[in-house]
Amino acid sequence: MTRIFAKHIATMTEMREPHKVLERSGGKPVAIMKNSKCVGYFVPAEATLQEEPRVATLDEVMEAIEKTRAQTQPVLDYLKYK
């Protein structure tokens, strides 16, 4: 059984009128089905990033590592001797 990664589903026939599919989905991604199989996803512009992703600075990365050090240190210690 294939897992569908969208809460809304439309058939290929319904995609003849994509504006209706968009209205029904409320701006969320829609799984497109053909013969009971998912053949793709229809992703409206509202569901995508509206701005370019920003690259983290080295200081931000190091700060994030330090914040999670207590949680990850036992795993790092375990892997050191493997």
Side-chain angles (χ1 to χ4, degrees):
M1 183 171 164
T2 304
R3 185 170 180 163
I4 298 173
F5 298 101
K7 292 184 179 182
H8 302 279
I9 296 172
T11 64
M12 292 296 284
T13 305
E14 291 173 310
M15 289 306 294
R16 290 179 184 163
E17 298 177 283
H19 62 282
K20 289 183 179 180
V21 174
L22 285 175
E23 287 175 8
R24 196 174 70 228
S25 73
K28 303 289 184 191
V30 179
I32 308 302
M33 307 296 284
K34 181 177 182 182
N35 298 330
S36 299
K37 292 184 181 180
C38 183
V39 294
Y41 293 91
F42 187 59
V43 182
E46 300 92 44
T48 61
L49 290 175
Q50 298 301 316
E51 57 187 49
E52 278 294 312
R54 184 180 68 81
V55 177
T57 64
L58 180 59
D59 292 335
E60 291 171 331
V61 172
M62 295 307 292
E63 183 180 329
I65 289 171
E66 287 305 316
K67 282 183 180 179
T68 59
R69 171 86 56 195
Q71 182 181 5
T72 58
Q73 194 59 50
V75 175
L76 294 173
D77 291 339
Y78 173 79
L79 293 174
K80 187 186 305 184
Y81 301 107
K82 292 292 173 186

